Amino acid sequence: GQQGPDADIGAHIIDVTGLPDTTKIIDKGFIRAADAPGGFHNIFMYKHSDGRPLLVVTLGAPRGNIYDMEKFLAGDANFGFIGPVPIPANPFGRQGGYHDYYVAYDPANHRDVLYGAGAGGYHVYDISNPAEPKLLTSVMGAAGVTGGHTFTPDPTGRYAVAETEYQYAPLRIFDLKPGLDGTVKTITRPVGAWTARWKGLSHNHEVRWPYVFVSAYEDGLQIFNMMDPTNPYTVGYYDTYDGPNQRGWGGTQNPDGGAGVTNGAFGVDVRNADGLIVIEDFRTGFWSFKMDGFDGWNGHQWGLPNVSSVQDWDNGPEGAPKPAKVS
């Protein structure tokens, strides 16, 4: 909602290759979106199967944007802009764009797939050609879901964990196979659900199958097992927030009145190399954890594709044809 002269700034790119020598930090400039002021709410960097490093962003418009960061760094006048990711029409008349994305390679079908959470629910696109995204399926019409917040699939792309960002809502697990196969156009029913506490609200999450790592606001770090997506169960937790309940912002999310539950553990990330888990908490700051028995993650250890939010920047997506070298 910013109204200043730089309201069209979406991202600021800084080269920190020279750290820890701070004199070698290089400012590479801004990405601007003049037709969608208000900045980018979320970003996701993805190494495309054709070799390009893509930046996928959400913004204050009924779409998302995709940028080629090699072109941006080369000084492209249009910031490396490739094209938009549309928002499908929804039966609720819900306005707005996407909240966030996840992008992954689908080795079984040899395609790059974008999972977007936003107006209407959750939408899955084939972005093998990023300039022409093709809708594969959507999750819309599920009870209690008129819009999506976060949408993260397992390494196969079949089962996806979905968050909706209102109090009392569990994390829902959807089987995308009927939609991806073309049996149905839209997925309308979850196959499973999980919550840390029914009065709470689970926020962002990272999938390292069979584990899902959750920053669950007032309930801190939570970890559940989704090996059976119809029966997920908690395997670990740590309460990073020890303050009173319902003292956060977002009072409209609490139908009982008073303040909201958006307080405590906000963000989570997992390092595949050694299993380091990190949490950011609104009130208590930065936390790092080690879960006994979890010493890192590689999908092959579980007989699955080695696909997660972690990117292989040197080699690109596993299973993708290697891009031809240009001499």
Side-chain angles (χ1 to χ4, degrees):
Q2 55 186 327
Q3 303 298 317
D6 292 320
D8 62 342
I9 289 179
H12 190 185
I13 315 303
I14 301 171
D15 183 345
V16 295
T17 309
L19 287 177
D21 184 348
T22 57
T23 66
K24 295 181 179 179
I25 293 174
I26 303 172
D27 189 333
K28 308 300 280 190
F30 299 100
I31 296 178
R32 296 177 179 268
D35 62 335
F40 299 160
H41 184 68
N42 264 310
I43 62 174
F44 191 93
M45 280 295 303
Y46 174 66
K47 180 78 168 184
H48 195 272
S49 62
D50 66 11
R52 286 182 286 179
L54 303 184
L55 177 67
V56 186
V57 310
T58 66
L59 51 145
R63 68 171 197 279
N65 281 355
I66 302 177
Y67 297 88
D68 181 333
M69 293 308 291
E70 284 187 348
K71 286 188 175 181
F72 169 82
L73 293 174
D76 181 67
N78 203 24
F79 311 107
F81 178 67
I82 295 175
V85 181
I87 279 273
N90 66 82
F92 317 105
R94 181 83 178 260
Q95 301 298 309
Y98 290 98
H99 178 273
D100 62 29
Y101 297 115
Y102 176 90
V103 191
Y105 188 69
D106 175 3
N109 296 289
H110 305 290
R111 61 192 179 190
D112 303 88
V113 182
L114 178 149
Y115 303 82
Y122 312 93
H123 313 292
V124 184
Y125 278 90
D126 181 344
I127 61 164
S128 299
N129 179 359
E132 298 180 358
K134 297 179 181 178
L135 183 65
L136 297 174
T137 191
S138 289
V139 176
M140 288 195 291
V145 179
T146 60
H149 180 283
T150 302
F151 189 40
T152 313
D154 72 2
T156 70
R158 174 171 180 174
Y159 295 103
V161 182
E163 197 249 339
T164 45
E165 190 70 351
Y166 64 87
Q167 189 179 13
Y168 310 120
L171 294 180
R172 298 168 175 87
I173 301 176
F174 292 95
D175 183 354
L176 304 180
K177 188 176 187 299
L180 296 174
D181 289 349
T183 305
V184 300
K185 183 177 180 180
T186 304
I187 308 295
T188 59
R189 293 175 63 90
V191 296
W194 173 92
T195 188
R197 180 177 56 97
W198 75 269
K199 287 187 176 182
L201 168 58
S202 296
H203 191 232
N204 290 331
H205 54 267
E206 285 283 331
V207 175
R208 300 293 189 272
W209 194 94
Y211 303 117
V212 181
F213 300 83
V214 185
S215 50
Y217 281 136
E218 294 178 345
D219 298 302
L221 168 66
Q222 298 279 334
I223 305 166
F224 69 90
N225 186 313
M226 64 170 290
M227 184 174 288
D228 177 357
T230 67
N231 186 32
Y233 59 93
T234 302
V235 295
Y237 65 91
Y238 192 97
D239 192 358
T240 63
Y241 173 74
D242 56 3
N245 291 337
Q246 296 192 177
R247 293 296 185 270
W249 56 271
T252 57
Q253 297 173 356
N254 177 13
D256 294 335
V261 293
T262 47
N263 201 357
F266 180 83
V268 61
D269 206 355
V270 178
R271 190 163 64 189
N272 286 2
D274 57 7
L276 177 71
I277 306 159
V278 295
I279 281 280
E280 60 167 328
D281 187 292
F282 276 133
R283 299 300 177 187
T284 59
F286 173 87
W287 297 74
S288 59
F289 298 96
K290 173 70 170 63
M291 182 170 73
D292 290 346
F294 184 75
D295 299 319
W297 188 87
N298 184 308
H300 299 318
Q301 297 168 337
W302 301 93
L304 296 174
N306 189 33
V307 175
S308 70
S309 60
V310 174
Q311 306 294 305
D312 186 340
W313 296 109
D314 294 325
N315 303 305
E318 187 177 277
K322 297 302 180 184
K325 291 185 177 180
V326 179
S327 59

